[in-house]
Amino acid sequence: MYIDQTFAHTIVGVVRDELGAISGYKLEDGEVITREEAMILSKQGAMKGISEEVAQLGEEFLNSLPVSDGYNNLENMPIVKRDDISQSYDENA
């Protein structure tokens, strides 16, 4: 099945929790979304450059698709500081 990703979102930064784990993502349009919201968008084909994966314990997570320069690795993305997050982002969502 072909999915047109012309208008799909791109992750440009990550939000980390107090333990350093990724808890959200900043998109190219400046919006910050939770991990759960990103997973839903990815499953709908509305995110590009990532795939959905399942950890050994069954937890779903996003993984960057491999590229030759390795730059898009989610672990290496810029960190979004809590002060930069708009009030629309809710960690408890």
Side-chain angles (χ1 to χ4, degrees), residues 15-62:
V15 178
R16 294 196 178 268
D17 64 17
E18 55 280 342
L19 299 176
I22 295 174
S23 62
Y25 301 95
K26 182 176 182 179
L27 304 179
E28 83 293 337
D29 64 2
E31 182 179 7
V32 178
I33 60 175
T34 65
R35 286 181 60 204
E36 294 80 11
E37 291 169 322
M39 184 64 68
I40 291 167
L41 288 174
S42 181
K43 288 179 179 180
Q44 294 172 342
M47 303 281 285
K48 55 184 160 183
I50 58 171
S51 65
E52 305 90 33
E53 306 288 336
V54 179
Q56 288 181 338
L57 298 176
E59 181 182 6
E60 292 182 314
F61 66 97
L62 297 177

Side-chain angles (χ1 to χ4, degrees), residues 46 55 67 83-84:
V67 294
D83 296 341
D84 297 337

